[in-house]
Amino acid sequence: MKIFGELQIKAAALAVAMALCTPVSALAGPGDGLITLETGQTRPAGTATPSEMTADWGIVRAAEKYSYSDMEQDIWELQRQYGNLMTVNVIGTSCDGRNLYEIVVGNQSAGKHVMIQGAIHGREYMTPLLVMKQLETALAQYYTGNWDGVSYSQLFSQAAVHFLPMVNPDGVSISQFGLQGINSPQLRQTIQEAYDKDLAEGRTVMSIDRYLTYWKANGRGVDLNSNFDAGWENLNDLGHPSYAGYRGTGACSEPESMALVNLANKHQWSLILNYHSMGEVIYWDYEGNKVQPQSKELADLVAGITGYRLIDSSGGGGYKDWVQIKEGPIPSVTVEVGSVSCPMPVSEWSRVWPQNETVWAAVLSWAVKQP
Ligand SMILES: [Zn+2]
């Protein structure tokens, strides 16, 4: 099991890098959360059967490196099987030319929208797998499942869920495949220069191959979750692209963050759930949060299912932070899955999945109940 000491990054730099995804190494276990079954009954967390724990069924399967092309293939497979239940949109293009996918399930005319997004940080590629498996679960159980006694099909008739499994596909590719994961020679050079500077400044002592596995940023070395217009000007300026912690040249300077801003302004969102890893904690607040009670309620709801611990505030510049303070604010939570550091071994999946299997249904139900 990897620990952060092994990263051999200087403590000060580590603090910057971790500011947005605080590692909580001394966390207790999965907690006393309850898992709610399809039937609406609950059972204690940790009592799932082995096949339930790994979701070893269907199209989306756990892999050591669940990649952009794995996800793309699975989206097309799901569309072939459940095409009448889902809409696939592309909300933008990454710096290296990858599609930013949005898969919508439910009634888009009902006026209520739920967003679940993953992998805004590259190395956190357990979260695309999680969001994709949640999507498949919603589709596979559309006519049979229920939450709290209300059938999924009934819930989906009153709201739409937008699944965004991988909002930073270049970052995921860099973390999984290194420089070979990037097509553009220019971006490869930017990434090489980020490494050279981080090495020169003592932010890393690793080989470039190892360094790239810890990549959180996008293809241009900008930490997307420090790139939003929420206290952006007060964030520490690294001054150059890096694997983590560089806020960029301006708020929303990146196509990936701009796509998320445009999407946030496009619909009437009931809530936005942001999946990160690691720590098994939930961030729900930010200074100036205009939807504080709703965000807290959501956090309590997700905590009750996952057993994760609430943390009051986060560092600014994040997508959650921005949607909570923007004009037409949106209740939002950031959920950090997993108990070991990133990139996470696939073995962690058997812990992450049972904790989060029904979270999408719970927040959909919450959205439907909102006035
Ligand atoms: Zn993160």
Side-chain angles (χ1 to χ4, degrees):
M1 222 174 263
K2 290 189 178 71
I3 52 163
F4 279 96
E6 202 187 322
L7 298 185
Q8 298 176 300
I9 301 171
K10 285 186 177 172
L14 187 65
V16 173
M18 295 301 151
L20 293 163
C21 284
T22 312
V24 185
S25 49
L27 268 184
D32 54 359
L34 292 175
I35 305 279
T36 300
L37 305 170
E38 250 182 82
T39 56
Q41 296 166 310
T42 55
R43 68 175 180 224
T47 58
T49 67
S51 68
E52 284 175 323
M53 291 199 308
T54 54
D56 194 20
W57 56 270
I59 292 160
V60 180
R61 299 296 182 103
E64 193 64 50
K65 292 178 177 177
Y66 188 76
S67 68
Y68 173 77
S69 57
D70 290 337
M71 174 192 70
E72 249 186 346
Q73 274 178 19
D74 287 351
I75 290 171
W76 306 137
E77 273 301 312
L78 289 171
Q79 185 153 57
R80 202 154 53 197
Q81 192 156 335
Y82 303 104
N84 59 326
L85 296 180
M86 63 189 265
T87 309
V88 181
N89 300 322
V90 175
I91 61 157
T93 309
S94 71
C95 296
D96 199 36
R98 294 181 176 82
N99 290 333
L100 309 179
Y101 285 105
E102 174 200 38
I103 303 102
V104 191
V105 182
N107 183 354
Q108 297 190 59
S109 311
K112 286 185 174 179
H113 298 265
V114 170
M115 188 197 300
I116 301 179
Q117 64 93 354
I120 200 168
H121 283 144
R123 71 187 185 195
E124 299 169 16
Y125 50 77
M126 179 69 74
T127 61
L129 173 63
L130 172 59
V131 175
M132 285 295 291
K133 199 67 202 180
Q134 288 186 338
L135 165 65
E136 184 175 18
T137 303
L139 295 166
Q141 301 178 1
Y142 190 96
Y143 295 111
T144 55
N146 77 85
W147 179 260
D148 239 0
V150 182
S151 68
Y152 289 165
S153 56
Q154 176 67 22
L155 292 173
F156 277 123
S157 73
Q158 296 172 77
V161 182
H162 302 239
F163 296 90
L164 280 71
M166 198 184 284
V167 299
N168 177 15
D170 297 351
V172 170
S173 297
I174 294 166
S175 178
Q176 292 179 334
F177 307 115
L179 284 174
Q180 290 183 334
I182 291 299
N183 301 306
S184 153
Q186 199 187 336
L187 289 178
R188 286 188 185 193
Q189 194 180 332
T190 301
I191 295 160
Q192 177 71 51
E193 285 168 7
Y195 171 70
D196 293 343
K197 287 206 168 132
D198 279 341
L199 192 64
E201 291 171 10
R203 298 187 80 232
T204 186
V205 294
M206 294 179 211
S207 70
I208 185 163
D209 288 347
R210 185 115 195 272
Y211 165 88
L212 293 178
T213 66
Y214 295 101
W215 195 269
K216 289 172 80 176
N218 74 347
R220 300 206 298 185
V222 175
D223 190 325
L224 295 174
N225 217 38
S226 301
N227 191 235
F228 293 91
D229 193 9
W232 180 88
E233 59 287 349
N234 300 323
L235 295 174
N236 174 47
D237 183 10
L238 264 188
H240 62 81
S242 174
Y243 76 105
Y246 175 50
R247 65 180 183 172
T249 53
C252 288
S253 57
E254 304 308 297
E256 296 91 347
S257 29
M258 208 57 233
L260 285 173
V261 164
N262 290 337
L263 189 62
N265 290 329
K266 190 177 171 185
H267 302 288
Q268 196 66 42
W269 297 99
S270 300
L271 72 102
I272 294 178
L273 190 153
N274 312 279
Y275 269 123
H276 287 245
S277 61
M278 49 76 73
E280 301 193 335
V281 293
I282 301 167
Y283 295 94
W284 63 275
D285 204 10
Y286 177 64
E287 195 184 340
N289 183 358
K290 297 173 183 166
V291 279
Q292 196 174 50
Q294 297 94 327
S295 299
K296 174 67 161 51
E297 211 178 289
L298 263 177
D300 285 335
L301 174 66
V302 177
I305 295 164
T306 57
Y308 297 173
R309 188 165 58 86
L310 267 58
I311 291 188
D312 283 351
S313 64
S314 59
Y319 190 44
K320 174 189 74 62
D321 309 332
W322 175 71
V323 302
Q324 288 177 336
I325 64 166
K326 80 181 188 77
E327 198 181 315
I330 305 165
S332 186
V333 289
T334 290
V335 182
E336 302 266 1
V337 306
S339 63
V340 297
S341 61
C342 292
M344 238 165 231
V346 69
S347 56
E348 193 68 1
W349 175 242
S350 62
R351 182 180 175 94
V352 170
W353 176 247
Q355 293 170 339
N356 290 276
E357 181 179 0
T358 60
V359 165
W360 66 272
V363 298
L364 167 60
S365 166
W366 184 86
V368 165
K369 285 182 198 153
Q370 296 307 296

